[in-house]
Amino acid sequence: MNAWVYAYRGEQVENRHRISLAIHGPGGLLAYAGNPGLWAYMRSSAKPFQALALFLTGAVERFGLTEEEVALATASHDGTPEHVAVAARFLEKLGLGPEHLVCGVHPPFSREARRALEEAGLSPTPLHHNCSGKHAAMLAAALALGAPVAGYESPDHPVQRLNRKTLADLSGKEPAHATDGCSVPTFALPLARAARAFYLLAHPEEALEAYREPLLRVQKAMRRHAKLVAGPGSIDTLLMERLPLVAKRGADGYYGLALLEGPKGPLGVALKVEDGASQAREVAVVALLRLLGLDPGPTPWDRPEVRNHRGLLVGHLEAQLDLTWV
């Protein structure tokens, strides 16, 4: 069946955003919409699985990393002072600094944090980059492996080879890879295979033994420190604070969910807005959760309004999801 997010201007549909998604349950593929075999780059939605390297290499114990730092390793964070402080502390434990991060620099996602920097006459640093926690975690894993920190972004670096193997083991499929926006490898999988990995994040008992405790610890860190994973007002944080799940957005319309419980039991979801529209992603995710019997309460993504530069209401977005149950 097809799934769409429609963008209305007035009474007419102006844009149609096609959604493909896969839902993995205890028995395998449970439901889908669009093309569940669609290969899609997971982008930042892969971060919970990349963070497993902190446990698989022993970096957590070696450097005394806390749950907050593990949560930041999974984050696409807003660059608030709290996020920056945790990132700085993370690097300090490694004996490294922001200059070792190859993620680049961008202004904080948080408007308040961006305004505070501007008013103080300061420029953003790599610590403000939404991926700074992931990069700190990769540096930690490199040190724990006895591998060089220089070049940790290379696909052939031991940390990246470990990340690729981890996703292959959890998804049951060897991922493709390319370069992400923050310069490290990003991995592509068919949606149905990515949904399997998210299912194991929700239900680690079914994973290979080596991954069970790391998956559970990453799951708990994200849920206990949801604000570090994104930020106040962000969809990941809101959903994890309100529902029994792990939520992780990715660039260009990707989204991953690990539903710990619900009417259908534990589930893993991988969703892609095929044209990459991020404004359609959140609308689709909230609609899907309601369809699966999980109510997050009122959210900004329930039939969100579209307003022009004068603040005039000119349209809205709404989702139409039709699932095929296997």
Side-chain angles (χ1 to χ4, degrees):
M1 297 293 285
N2 288 327
W4 300 85
V5 170
Y6 296 108
Y8 283 83
R9 185 167 294 273
E11 300 301 318
Q12 299 297 319
V13 174
E14 183 173 35
N15 295 303
R16 296 168 175 82
H17 305 289
R18 187 172 189 261
I19 310 296
S20 280
L21 65 91
I23 303 173
H24 191 102
L29 183 66
L30 181 68
Y32 65 90
N35 177 11
L38 177 71
W39 281 80
Y41 285 105
M42 298 175 72
R43 306 297 294 274
S44 286
S45 294
K47 286 176 179 175
F49 309 110
Q50 293 165 311
L52 296 176
L54 290 172
F55 299 96
L56 298 172
T57 63
V60 168
E61 290 74 21
R62 175 173 173 177
F63 298 109
L65 301 178
T66 65
E67 270 195 344
E68 289 88 347
E69 287 141 6
V70 172
L72 197 76
T74 74
S76 299
H77 66 71
D78 285 355
T80 68
E82 183 181 11
H83 292 120
V84 171
V86 175
R89 186 178 72 212
F90 198 149
L91 288 171
E92 184 178 355
K93 288 183 176 182
L94 308 181
L96 301 175
E99 67 276 10
H100 292 93
L101 303 177
V102 301
C103 53
V105 179
H106 65 64
F109 289 166
S110 163
R111 292 180 181 178
E112 292 78 8
R114 189 163 60 245
R115 187 181 307 115
L117 276 180
E118 292 170 353
E119 290 176 351
L122 300 174
S123 298
T125 75
L127 298 176
H128 294 91
H129 193 289
N130 77 95
C131 297
S132 61
K134 176 179 76 173
H135 283 249
M138 290 177 176
L139 289 167
L143 289 170
L145 287 170
V149 295
Y152 73 88
E153 72 276 18
S154 167
D156 294 325
H157 190 279
V159 170
Q160 304 306 339
R161 292 203 302 267
L162 175 59
N163 287 339
R164 191 160 61 246
K165 180 181 185 300
T166 296
L167 266 177
D169 287 345
L170 295 175
S171 69
K173 185 76 173 178
E174 184 69 25
H177 64 87
T179 304
D180 210 338
C182 63
S183 298
V184 298
T186 178
F187 301 106
L189 286 167
L191 291 173
R193 292 294 186 170
R196 181 179 187 267
F198 278 102
Y199 170 72
L200 294 175
L201 181 58
H203 195 61
E205 294 90 337
E206 291 192 28
L208 295 171
E209 186 173 358
Y211 295 110
R212 291 174 191 169
E213 183 180 352
L215 283 164
L216 182 60
R217 292 178 71 178
V218 166
Q219 176 205 112
K220 287 184 176 180
M222 294 179 73
R223 288 184 42 73
R224 289 172 177 166
H225 305 282
K227 284 188 173 66
L228 290 177
V229 176
S234 298
I235 186 170
D236 295 355
T237 296
L238 182 147
L239 293 179
M240 286 191 285
E241 288 178 338
R242 295 184 182 181
L243 293 171
L245 53 76
V246 171
K248 190 69 202 73
R249 60 186 172 177
D252 287 292
Y254 202 97
Y255 211 89
L257 289 164
L259 279 58
L260 279 59
E261 59 186 71
K264 302 289 185 181
L267 299 175
V269 178
L271 178 151
K272 170 69 174 177
V273 183
E274 293 191 16
D275 66 2
S278 59
Q279 72 270 24
R281 177 187 59 194
E282 278 80 351
V283 177
V285 167
V286 170
L288 176 63
L289 287 171
R290 296 190 190 283
L291 194 60
L292 294 175
L294 292 170
D295 181 10
T299 80
W301 306 287
D302 295 291
R303 205 174 182 272
E305 297 175 343
V306 176
R307 293 184 177 272
N308 69 7
H309 296 296
R310 288 183 58 204
L312 299 177
L313 178 62
V314 296
H316 70 278
L317 291 99
E318 64 181 65
Q320 179 180 318
L321 304 184
D322 296 312
L323 296 179
T324 297
W325 296 90
V326 177

